[in-house]
């Protein structure tokens, strides 16, 4: 797919990251880079460590070994709050929305980092807190327009169908105005139309807002169409790293997917 | 300065100066601890098998004891009275399953917890209505004579209580690990829906679990009642069982025992040696503070399962 | 036809975010407030003030406080009685140590002391969740009650162990102490409830409210958006305890006039918790409805059992326990979201009435 953006310098660098839980080695010495404004796809068979990789990037898991460099700063492990402040947002495989709140409130919660008025101002409401609330409401409404979810603003997200929930979750991540957006199987469980919509959103976000994106995806068609580069993980190791076409032709990758026995 | 001395150095000197007395206090604490363990055991059973935190466990003990006394007052011989009480407890288990657990089957834990609080109030009112609320004496023939051992003064009652608890725990451990029903119970504790889908009869399991908890409650009720009379304060023991569970872990039978003993000993020793300088009656909160401190450093308790959160 | 909101379009975000966006709601609330402030003091008698209205207002405030912590922020607390006690006893100490202190500052300081204590006992909440946290709050409950019992300084070494409300006035009216009229105390409690409902509503519909609910619903996801769990939980504890502290001071100064620690024991914690459950977790209206229910219900039951059916008071009390317990279970089965949700459903039906759909 033709992309008109200019892909920039390295935004995120993962070096020799290893992660284990008890006896299970989720990641083994994985290294790769994500460059500004690109769309990177992470693929691999189930259990390959893809979600663990995302969890390491946004600080949920701390690797035993390796280094993460984000926007030039090197650290062994991220912390979730740090990741958020620095501009990393993500969606989850199993939709981690706040089920007790409406669509609007969920997306507004994504603006939390940008709102600064303390409890006292908020208790009074009239004045600075109200202005801030309205200002951010406008920003959120722009996202709601972008994602075409105006009709479900007030509905508690627990009552929404799965496809719409995923869209709301994307909205919440976008509300953070992230530099790096991590998407964990954004198309899972969707039909053809929904996938087309979501793909359109992914491209639009990348082109309009210049957001760098890393997505885990199983649908090869989507991967080939959307991504600039692809990384393949298998049993916690990186198998391949290159353009979609390069990866598609890679024999190791083919073996992994067809199930050739490993040593 | 005096005060500081009296709570840091003095208690240890006191302990050292009369080790025999200290041993007696320890034993007293252990026997109180056994009582706590019995109640905590009921909690663990229900929590393990149905994920429900049964706040009404203490009241169950009270209710069982009240029913036993009531039946005995009709002149029924003790063994038969116990059996009849057990029948009542099983009937209660059926009722609880049908009227409370089944309608609330997929609600969150907090809702079920609050429902058990409601159950506690209901049972307390029911017990009082049926049998009256004045203190009753419970005498099931447990020998309670003092005897000497190794220079210490002990009561046979305490030995009996400890032995009973031991037998009960052993029986339950065997039940859980070596029988088909025990395995089913553990499956249900893990995931209701999954258990249903492999054909485990949820309703039957719950009746069994609550009946077993009822049995444990009856034993606990008898022990407590024989020692200090059957009265309302028995239900407050349930509240005491909470720190025990925290120490031991909510899902562990050995944890409930160990936790009970630790709390029992801690309370007694604390009251005797640290109580006077602090004004006495620290038993009221001592267990909770200990549990609190424990929670901060080891949230899952001594033997509980570590909760790994997955996203 | 009454409740239609057709034609009421919102043309700005500001009007969309108003507290009562539907006109009929606004009218209804204003009518209720006018009635409560102007009409009730004229028609209610001492019994109604003493036994129903004032306790209702005081408990409603306590339920509001607990709802902030448990309903909105999802932190289970069984220590409400303890925090209310802190409010009452600090109010007493402030009033006796600084007799010239204005009553408004007395209440505020009571709240602040309670908030500080709440903060301390809320610290474990970062590591501990769910029932475990409930047990930690029990530690607070038992320890605080023991403290106020044992340390004579708190009750000025009064041999009976009770504390008595000193007389204070506000805008020329006596509102505390045994000379204050029931009507004056009622209006004070009412005014304070309205103020705190407003404040809570403002907090809940803004950033803080959303962070509380985020932590309640899924604290892992909340952390990843950048919400800090510890400070959010601590804020909830502090604000909730502040409100409960003031409610405790009200219980002492406006309702009972003379209290000892027994008034703040574990039963009070349970009572307020029931109000919050039955009324509806995470709902301001729910706190009020729950308080009304728990105040009125025992009175209704006593009147029924003793007055109509002629039972003895003792038996009636036992039956009340049974009915209460059964009602709690019933509520949880039928509508876990409480009276507030039932009210919402009623309003939705009203919107359609007289049409079926």
């Amino acid at each position: 797919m033709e992309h008109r953006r200019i892909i920039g310098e390295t935004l995120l660098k993962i070096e020799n990251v290893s992660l284990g839980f008890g006896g299970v080695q989720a990641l083994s010495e994985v290294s790769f880079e994500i460059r500004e404004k690109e769309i990177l796809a992470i693929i691999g068979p189930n259990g390959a460590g893809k979600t663990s990789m995302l969890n390491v990037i946004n600080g949920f898991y701390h690797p035993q070994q390796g280094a993460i460099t984000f926007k030039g700063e090197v650290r062994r492990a991220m912390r979730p709050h740090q990741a958020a402040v620095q501009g990393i947002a993500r969606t989850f495989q199993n939709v981690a929305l706040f089920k007790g709140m409406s669509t609007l409130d969920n997306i507004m919660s994504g603006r939390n980092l940008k709102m600064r008025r303390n409890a006292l101002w908020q208790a009074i409401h009239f004045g600075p807190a109200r202005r801030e609330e309205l200002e951010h409401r406008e920003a959120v409404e722009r996202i709601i327009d972008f994602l075409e979810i105006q009709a479900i603003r007030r509905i508690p997200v627990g009552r929404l169908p799965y496809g719409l929930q995923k869209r709301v979750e994307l909205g919440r991540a976008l509300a953070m105005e992230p530099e790096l957006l991590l998407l964990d199987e954004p198309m899972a469980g969707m039909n053809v139309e929904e996938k087309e919509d979501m793909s359109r959103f992914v491209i639009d976000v990348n082109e309009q807002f210049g957001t760098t994106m890393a997505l885990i995806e199983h649908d090869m068609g989507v991967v080939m169409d959307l991504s600039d580069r692809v990384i393949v993980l298998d049993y916690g190791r990186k198998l391949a790293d290159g353009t979609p076409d390069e990866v598609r032709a890679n024999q190791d990758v083919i073996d992994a997917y067809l199930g050739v026995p490993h040593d | 300065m005096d005060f500081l001395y009296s709570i840091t150095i003095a208690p240890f000197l006191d302990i050292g100066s009369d080790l025999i007395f200290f041993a007696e206090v320890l034993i007293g604490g252990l026997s109180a601890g056994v009582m706590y363990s019995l109640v905590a055991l009921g909690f663990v059973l229900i929590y393990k098998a149905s994920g429900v935190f049964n706040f009404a466990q203490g009241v169950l003990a009270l209710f069982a004891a009240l029913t036993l006394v009531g039946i005995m007052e009709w002149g029924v011989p003790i063994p038969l009275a116990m059996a009849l009480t057990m029948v009542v407890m099983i009937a209660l288990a059926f009722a609880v399953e049908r009227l409370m657990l089944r309608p609330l089957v997929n609600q969150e834990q907090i809702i079920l917890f609050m429902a058990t609080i409601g159950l506690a109030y209901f049972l307390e009112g029911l017990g009082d209505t049926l049998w009256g609320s004045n203190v009753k004496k419970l005498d099931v023939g447990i020998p309670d004579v003092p005897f000497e051992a190794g220079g210490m003064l002990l009561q046979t009652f305490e030995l009996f209580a400890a032995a009973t608890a031991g037998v009960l725990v052993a029986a339950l451990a065997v039940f859980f690990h070596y029988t088909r029903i025990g395995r089913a119970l553990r499956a249900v504790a893990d995931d209701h829906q999954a258990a249903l889908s492999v054909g485990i009869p949820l309703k039957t399991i719950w009746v069994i679990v609550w009946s077993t908890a009822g049995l444990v409650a009856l034993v606990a009720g008898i022990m407590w009642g024989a020692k200090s009379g059957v009265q309302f304060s028995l239900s407050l023991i349930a509240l005491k069982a909470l720190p025990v569970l925290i120490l031991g872990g909510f899902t562990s039978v050995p944890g409930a025992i160990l936790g009970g003993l630790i709390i029992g000993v801690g309370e007694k020793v604390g009251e005797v040696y640290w109580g006077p300088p602090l004004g006495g009656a620290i038993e009221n909160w001592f267990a909770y503070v200990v549990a609190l401190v424990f929670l901060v450093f080891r949230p899952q308790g001594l033997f509980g399962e570590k909760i790994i959160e997955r996203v | 036809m009454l409740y239609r909101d057709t034609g009421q379009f919102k043309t700005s975000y500001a009007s969309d975010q108003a507290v009562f966006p539907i006109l009929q709601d606004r009218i209804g609330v204003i009518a209720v407030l006018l009635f409560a402030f102007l009409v009730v003091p004229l028609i209610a008698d001492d019994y109604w003030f003493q036994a129903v209205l004032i306790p209702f207002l005081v408990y409603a405030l306590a339920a509001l406080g607990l709802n902030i912590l448990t309903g909105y922020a999802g932190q289970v607390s069984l220590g409400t009685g303890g925090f209310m006690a802190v409010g009452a006893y600090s109010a007493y100490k402030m009033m006796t140590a600084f007799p010239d202190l204005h009553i408004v500052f007395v209440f505020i300081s009571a709240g602040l002391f309670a908030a500080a204590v709440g903060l301390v006992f809320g610290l474990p909440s970062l590591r501990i969740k769910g029932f475990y946290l409930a047990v930690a709050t029990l530690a607070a409950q038992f320890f605080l009650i023991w403290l106020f019992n044992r340390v004579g300084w708190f009750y000025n070494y009064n041999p009976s162990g009770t504390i008595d409300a000193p007389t204070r006035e506000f805008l020329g009216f006596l509102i505390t102490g045994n000379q204050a009229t029931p009507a004056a105390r009622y209006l004070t409690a009412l005014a304070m409830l309205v103020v705190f409902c407003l404040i809570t509503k403002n907090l809940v519909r803004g950033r803080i409210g959303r962070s509380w609910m985020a932590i309640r619903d899924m604290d892992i996801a909340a952390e990843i958006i950048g919400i800090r769990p510890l400070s959010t939980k601590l804020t909830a504890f502090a604000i909730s305890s502040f409100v409960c502290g003031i409610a405790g001071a009200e219980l002492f100064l406006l309702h009972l006039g003379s209290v000892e620690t027994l008034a703040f024991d574990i039963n009070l914690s349970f009572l307020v918790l029931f109000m919050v459950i039955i009324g509806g977790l995470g709902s301001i209206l729910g706190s009020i409805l729950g308080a009304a229910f728990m105040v009125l219900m025992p009175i209704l039951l006593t009147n029924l059992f003793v007055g109509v059916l002629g039972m003895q008071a003792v038996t009636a009390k036992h039956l009340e326990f049974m009915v209460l317990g059964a009602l709690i279970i019933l509520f949880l089965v039928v509508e876990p979201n409480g009276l507030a949700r039932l009210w919402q459903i009623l309003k939705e039906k009203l919107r359609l009435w007289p049409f079926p759909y």
Side-chain angles (χ1 to χ4, degrees):
Chain A
M1 176 146 257
E2 286 291 318
H3 294 294
R4 280 167 281 118
R5 321 132 293 147
I6 301 168
I7 294 184
E9 297 302 311
T10 304
L11 182 64
L12 174 76
K13 186 151 89 163
I14 303 286
E15 281 175 295
N16 278 321
V17 160
S18 294
L19 176 73
F21 305 107
V24 179
Q25 196 64 20
L27 297 168
S28 300
E29 295 179 357
V30 177
S31 300
F32 63 91
E33 283 175 15
I34 308 181
R35 291 166 296 168
E36 273 176 38
K37 298 208 196 342
E38 81 175 338
I39 299 181
L40 176 80
I42 304 178
I43 67 174
N46 278 322
K50 311 188 292 289
T51 300
S52 299
M53 191 69 248
L54 287 195
N55 283 340
V56 163
I57 295 176
N58 83 319
F60 197 62
Y61 291 158
H62 299 156
Q64 281 85 22
Q65 184 195 324
I68 306 171
T69 309
F70 185 64
K71 294 203 286 199
E73 239 186 275
V74 190
R75 38 172 89 77
R76 157 65 63 81
M78 273 288 204
R79 309 219 166 266
H81 191 260
Q82 250 173 353
V85 164
Q86 298 222 289
I88 303 181
R90 77 172 277 188
T91 66
F92 295 84
Q93 213 168 345
N94 292 321
V95 182
L97 284 174
F98 306 123
K99 295 276 165 44
M101 296 200 263
S102 65
T103 301
L104 182 61
D105 278 337
N106 264 281
I107 303 182
M108 283 291 277
S109 71
R111 302 297 287 179
N112 192 75
L113 270 177
K114 306 194 186 298
M115 297 177 86
R116 281 174 308 111
R117 293 298 170 192
N118 67 19
L120 222 50
W121 283 118
Q122 288 183 40
I124 304 172
H125 186 69
F126 291 101
R130 185 166 181 266
R131 278 196 293 276
E132 187 182 59
E133 181 85 8
L134 290 172
E135 183 191 306
H136 288 282
R137 172 75 188 266
E138 275 186 63
V140 165
E141 286 289 338
R142 280 196 290 272
I143 294 175
I144 290 180
D145 284 340
F146 174 74
L147 291 171
E148 294 161 16
I149 46 177
Q150 297 90 332
I152 56 168
R153 255 192 218 99
R154 297 275 182 200
I155 301 184
V157 295
R159 294 200 219 149
L160 293 173
Y162 186 70
L164 279 177
Q165 283 186 1
K166 291 212 105 139
R167 221 188 278 188
V168 173
E169 213 197 359
L170 178 62
R172 187 180 66 183
L174 290 177
M176 289 169 70
E177 291 177 15
E179 290 181 47
L180 173 62
L181 180 55
L182 309 171
L183 300 169
D184 197 341
E185 300 200 34
M187 324 261 178
M190 289 188 176
N191 60 32
V192 172
E193 274 173 34
E194 288 169 331
K195 281 196 191 181
E196 281 177 10
D197 283 338
M198 191 55 99
S199 303
R200 180 166 46 95
F201 289 135
V202 167
I203 297 175
D204 282 347
V205 166
N206 180 253
E207 286 185 356
Q208 282 181 29
F209 305 133
T211 314
T212 312
M213 303 173 71
L215 60 140
I216 297 177
E217 194 36 65
H218 282 296
D219 183 326
M220 284 305 131
V222 164
V223 169
M224 296 299 151
D225 276 345
L226 288 187
S227 47
D228 297 313
R229 279 191 318 126
V230 178
I231 291 179
V232 186
L233 294 179
D234 188 29
Y235 285 103
R237 291 180 195 284
K238 188 176 83 167
L239 274 191
D241 182 346
T243 67
D245 289 326
E246 285 169 11
V247 163
R248 194 181 5 206
N250 183 314
Q251 187 58 41
D252 289 331
V253 171
I254 298 173
D255 285 348
Y257 271 98
L258 289 179
V260 170
H262 289 253
D263 305 319
Chain B
M1 212 46 239
D2 238 2
F3 179 66
L4 240 83
Y5 179 80
S6 68
I7 59 172
T8 46
I9 318 259
F12 292 105
L13 292 178
D14 278 340
I15 293 177
S17 69
D18 189 350
L19 279 173
I20 303 253
F21 178 60
F22 178 61
E24 281 178 5
V25 171
L26 268 181
I27 305 264
L30 282 173
S31 72
V34 165
M35 306 296 210
Y36 288 143
S37 306
L38 280 176
V39 182
L41 206 53
F43 271 110
V44 168
L45 278 176
I46 294 189
Y47 190 77
K48 241 170 125 75
S50 58
V52 175
F53 186 84
N54 179 23
F55 190 81
Q57 189 63 26
V59 178
L60 269 174
L62 171 64
F63 185 77
L66 275 174
T67 311
L68 181 61
V69 169
I71 295 181
M72 277 167 64
E73 273 176 6
W74 291 339
V76 178
I78 296 177
L80 187 57
M82 287 204 210
L84 281 174
T85 310
M86 210 40 231
V87 169
V88 170
M89 298 308 282
I90 295 180
L92 189 60
F94 268 99
V96 165
E97 190 278 321
R98 182 72 185 79
L99 297 171
M100 198 177 92
L101 294 178
R102 215 186 291 181
L104 290 174
V105 74
N106 261 323
Q107 294 290 353
E108 295 161 29
Q109 275 195 331
I110 191 86
I111 303 275
L112 282 161
F113 171 62
M114 314 238 213
T116 60
I117 303 185
L119 181 66
Y121 269 73
F122 179 80
L123 281 178
E124 201 186 309
L126 183 64
D128 285 339
T129 311
L130 290 177
W131 311 114
S133 60
N134 38 344
V135 183
K136 297 183 189 5
K137 200 163 132 46
L138 178 60
D139 184 4
V140 290
I142 301 173
D144 192 12
V145 282
F147 67 97
E148 263 211 48
M152 300 181 289
L153 205 59
L154 301 171
Q155 304 277 105
T156 48
F157 183 85
E158 292 162 353
L159 243 62
F160 192 81
T164 314
V167 167
L168 196 58
V169 169
L172 284 171
V174 166
F175 179 61
F176 262 107
H177 283 275
Y178 296 111
T179 63
R180 190 175 56 123
I181 296 185
R183 196 168 38 241
L185 281 171
R186 285 185 282 141
V188 169
D190 225 29
D191 189 334
H192 292 178
Q193 297 255 24
L196 267 174
S197 63
V198 295
I200 295 179
L202 224 49
K203 300 173 225 163
T204 323
I205 296 291
W206 279 337
V207 171
I208 294 177
V209 167
W210 280 73
S211 303
T212 320
L215 171 67
V216 173
L218 178 57
V219 172
I222 294 176
M223 290 296 141
W224 276 104
K227 190 157 180 226
S228 26
V230 181
Q231 49 177 313
F232 166 71
S233 62
L234 204 54
S235 60
L236 290 177
I237 308 297
L239 289 175
K240 265 303 169 55
L242 290 177
V244 170
L245 286 164
I246 286 178
L247 259 155
F250 276 68
T251 50
S252 159
V253 167
I257 305 298
L258 203 58
L261 295 176
I262 295 178
I263 292 284
V265 167
E267 261 189 359
K268 272 285 176 306
V269 170
E271 182 65 47
V272 171
Y273 294 100
W274 273 266
L278 284 172
I282 65 172
E283 279 179 324
N284 291 352
W285 51 265
F286 186 77
Y288 295 97
V289 173
V290 168
L292 182 55
V293 170
F294 219 79
L295 272 179
V296 173
F297 294 107
R298 200 181 157 85
Q300 72 272 31
L302 287 168
F303 296 109
E305 291 146 14
K306 198 157 186 159
I307 312 164
I308 301 181
E309 312 220 40
R310 311 203 93 233
V311 249
Chain C
M1 282 311 204
L2 276 174
Y3 201 56
R4 294 262 162 170
D5 60 349
T6 6
Q8 295 181 36
F9 296 112
K10 303 289 174 276
T11 49
S12 72
Y13 299 133
S15 53
D16 190 45
Q17 279 174 284
V19 177
F20 295 109
I22 302 179
L23 183 64
Q24 289 91 330
D25 278 339
R26 238 176 287 160
I27 297 178
V29 169
I30 294 179
V32 166
L33 284 177
L34 283 175
F35 182 78
F37 272 105
L38 300 177
V39 178
V40 170
L42 299 174
I43 60 175
D45 65 6
D46 275 8
Y47 170 74
W48 269 87
F49 280 130
Q50 202 60 27
V52 180
L53 293 169
I54 297 179
F56 157 64
L57 292 170
V58 171
Y59 289 131
L61 189 65
L64 192 65
L66 182 60
N67 220 336
I68 290 175
L69 185 59
T70 301
Y72 285 103
Q75 311 296 305
V76 183
S77 168
L78 289 174
T80 317
F83 297 132
M84 288 173 77
V86 175
Y89 280 88
S90 26
Y92 179 68
K93 291 301 293 181
M94 292 298 278
M95 288 168 105
T96 50
F98 306 109
D100 293 325
L101 189 62
H102 193 286
I103 186 71
V104 170
F105 291 115
V106 169
F107 276 115
I108 292 181
S109 60
L112 287 173
F113 280 113
V117 173
L119 261 175
V120 169
F121 281 101
L123 282 170
S125 70
L126 182 61
R127 296 267 288 168
I128 318 173
K129 297 180 186 170
F131 304 131
Y132 298 99
L133 189 62
V135 178
T137 57
L138 271 182
Q141 169 72 39
F142 287 122
F143 177 75
L144 287 168
I145 296 304
W146 174 85
L147 188 70
F148 291 128
N149 252 325
R150 289 289 149 182
V151 180
W153 179 78
F154 285 112
Y155 44 90
N156 286 343
Y157 303 101
N158 186 345
S160 69
T162 62
I163 55 175
D164 297 307
T167 307
R168 290 286 183 278
E169 58 87 32
F170 180 73
L171 299 179
F173 294 98
L174 291 175
I175 58 170
T176 71
N178 44 17
Q179 288 170 337
T181 64
R185 290 184 275 126
Y186 159 80
L187 286 170
T188 314
L190 179 63
M192 290 177 78
L193 182 65
V194 171
V195 166
F196 275 104
C197 279
L198 213 62
I199 292 179
T200 308
K201 187 65 184 175
N202 286 337
L203 287 174
V204 151
R205 59 184 167 141
R207 173 178 68 85
I208 288 191
R210 282 191 293 268
S211 13
W212 285 339
M213 291 193 272
I215 293 287
R216 174 196 69 190
D217 286 344
M218 198 180 286
D219 55 353
I220 309 168
E223 214 181 335
I224 283 169
I225 324 180
I227 295 174
R228 309 194 91 120
L230 185 62
S231 61
T232 308
K233 289 179 190 176
L234 286 181
T235 313
F237 267 100
I239 296 181
S240 162
S241 308
F242 182 85
V243 176
C244 286
I246 294 194
E250 281 189 10
L251 187 73
F252 164 47
L253 295 171
L254 300 177
H255 177 40
L256 295 174
S258 167
V259 290
E260 36 154 24
T261 54
L262 195 61
F264 297 103
D265 72 359
I266 186 86
N267 289 310
L268 180 60
S269 301
F270 281 130
L271 182 66
V272 180
L273 183 63
F274 290 147
M275 291 178 186
V276 166
I277 301 172
I278 291 185
L281 284 162
S283 156
I284 295 176
L285 179 63
S287 318
I288 300 175
L289 292 177
F293 183 84
M294 293 299 288
V295 165
L296 286 173
M297 225 248 324
I299 296 180
L300 277 168
L301 285 178
T302 313
N303 278 328
L304 177 66
F305 292 139
V306 176
V308 173
L309 297 175
M311 296 179 191
Q312 288 194 324
V314 171
T315 326
K317 194 103 210 300
H318 296 151
L319 277 171
E320 271 171 38
F321 266 77
M322 285 178 66
V323 173
L324 184 61
L327 270 172
I328 289 174
I329 298 179
L330 187 71
F331 257 100
L332 290 171
V333 167
V334 167
E335 185 47 78
N337 292 314
L339 290 169
R341 177 89 186 108
L342 286 175
W343 173 247
Q344 237 185 352
I345 295 176
L346 181 68
K347 287 209 301 187
E348 277 174 30
K349 293 232 170 352
L350 264 181
R351 287 183 71 198
L352 299 170
W353 185 81
F355 303 109
Y357 60 86

